[in-house]
Amino acid sequence: MELRYLRYFAAVAETRHFGRAAEHLHMAQPPLSQAIRRLETELGVALFTRTTRQVSLTSAGEVFRTDVELILKAVEEAVARVGRLASGVEGVLRVGLTGSASYRQLPALARLVKRELPEVMLEVHTEMLTPAQELGLTERRLDVGVLRPPIRREGLTHRALDDEPLVLALPEEHWLSEADTVRVERLRDENFIMYAATLSSVVNEAVVRSCVAAGFHPRCAYEVTETSAALALVAAGLGIAVLPDSIRSAPREGVLCKTLEGAFPVRLALAWREDDESPLLKNLLEILERNEMFVAPVPPDGHEIPGEYP
């Protein structure tokens, strides 16, 4: 059944007049009458009762009209939705985030998308370290990732979002609890809670670099796979953790955050596939640029500037 026949039927059903319906459809009356006849033949039922004075719907025509209205409305909505998808103002954006980015950057990103792209739904995947996000992007399970460079997989590019200082997370009863600022060298004899070595954490690398620069190697007492788990162990008094400053945005009972002097910062960046030509991604990048979410341009070759950050 041709969709245009349904539109013809709807016009006649609305006007109850073939001449006015034809005028509304910008067509001659005879082709319209012929099309309605073909529709009735295809359905095997009369849709209109015709007299010299008026046109009225049969009982079957009344039922058909209700269904046709729903069909045409659905078609219109589908066409409009496709248009919005094609223009990048509707759809699903699959976002991966490191654990600490969930505390500060995720709320900021979510608010921005809600305000600028209200018909876009975020599918959020948290507690993903950089290697896992790189794999998710490469396998097209993620559209963008909020991760910590350097990026080691080919075919991905990124822009910097923030350069975060590392802070010290302490149990409330810790001997350094009264200090406002702590230097890294004072942590020489502490038990560290760190990300599992198998995760290739950029934060771990920055922590080790900071400690080595202060003359010692951190003693890892516990390994975790999630930032929330690290904070839970700190709250339990099992050790200290050196984590990105964004954890301050979600205070944890039993945990004190202290400014840490002598620690290297860690960069947070938005990453995506170089070959992704999605209008939604294009809109997102433009919105982030317009709202000054990017802190610095990435070098043309896509590699990190040596010595700028770990």
Side-chain angles (χ1 to χ4, degrees), residues 40-58:
E40 290 175 321
T41 299
E42 186 173 348
L43 293 172
V45 64
L47 298 172
F48 295 101
T49 299
R50 303 163 177 82
T51 68
T52 56
R53 297 192 172 205
Q54 65 178 9
V55 175
S56 60
L57 286 164
T58 64

Side-chain angles (χ1 to χ4, degrees), residues 29-305:
Q29 182 175 331
L32 174 61
S33 299
Q34 293 168 12
I36 295 298
R37 289 291 188 192
R38 283 194 290 272
L39 177 60
E40 290 175 321
T41 299
E42 186 173 348
L43 293 172
V45 64
L47 298 172
F48 295 101
T49 299
R50 303 163 177 82
T51 68
T52 56
R53 297 192 172 205
Q54 65 178 9
V55 175
S56 60
L57 286 164
T58 64
S59 57
E62 291 284 1
V63 173
F64 192 58
R65 180 187 185 186
T66 300
D67 290 338
V68 166
E69 288 176 348
L70 293 174
I71 291 169
L72 294 178
K73 183 178 180 181
V75 170
E76 290 175 0
E77 290 176 350
V79 170
R81 187 173 299 113
V82 167
R84 291 194 296 271
L85 287 168
S87 61
V89 297
E90 183 176 326
V92 177
L93 184 69
R94 299 167 299 173
V95 184
L97 299 108
T98 65
S100 56
S102 302
Y103 300 120
R104 181 180 297 164
Q105 285 77 22
L106 176 57
L109 178 64
R111 283 193 297 268
L112 197 56
V113 170
K114 181 180 179 181
R115 188 184 76 208
E116 303 275 357
L117 298 168
E119 295 185 80
V120 170
M121 182 176 71
L122 291 179
E123 181 182 296
V124 179
H125 303 264
T126 59
E127 298 289 358
M128 296 182 70
L129 295 183
T130 294
Q133 290 193 52
E134 288 184 64
L135 182 60
L137 288 166
T138 301
E139 294 182 347
R140 300 183 182 274
R141 291 182 284 107
L142 296 176
D143 299 309
V144 295
V146 181
L147 47 69
R148 299 194 184 279
I151 293 176
R152 296 176 171 87
R153 283 182 178 263
E154 294 183 359
L156 302 179
T157 187
H158 67 281
R159 291 281 305 276
L161 292 169
D162 194 12
D163 285 315
E164 290 188 85
L166 292 177
V167 299
L168 175 62
L170 296 172
E172 284 184 333
E173 303 302 320
H174 195 274
W175 67 278
L176 288 170
S177 61
E178 298 299 320
D180 294 325
T181 301
V182 177
R183 289 200 58 82
V184 173
E185 49 262 36
R186 301 188 73 184
L187 306 179
R188 180 184 304 272
D189 298 321
E190 296 295 325
N191 289 324
F192 281 70
I193 298 164
M194 304 177 72
Y195 294 110
T198 55
L199 299 178
S200 302
S201 164
V202 173
V203 173
N204 269 12
E205 294 175 9
V207 172
V208 172
R209 274 189 66 190
S210 301
C211 292
V212 169
F216 71 98
H217 197 281
R219 182 173 64 238
C220 181
Y222 294 92
E223 289 189 342
V224 297
T225 58
E226 299 178 352
T227 304
S228 56
L231 293 173
L233 294 184
V234 171
L238 299 182
I240 59 100
V242 176
L243 298 166
D245 183 71
S246 50
I247 64 167
R248 292 183 188 267
S249 297
R252 177 88 181 223
E253 185 177 356
V255 176
L256 302 175
C257 288
K258 304 292 182 178
T259 300
L260 189 60
E261 289 187 356
F264 292 100
V266 286
R267 174 159 285 189
L268 195 67
L270 185 81
W272 64 93
R273 290 181 298 279
E274 290 179 339
D275 64 355
D276 191 343
E277 298 181 354
S278 160
L280 178 51
L281 174 62
K282 179 176 179 291
N283 285 345
L284 176 68
L285 296 177
E286 289 177 351
I287 288 168
L288 294 176
E289 185 77 57
R290 188 168 65 248
N291 286 273
E292 301 180 343
M293 293 287 286
F294 295 124
V295 296
V298 85
D301 61 1
H303 298 296
E304 312 309 331
I305 301 173

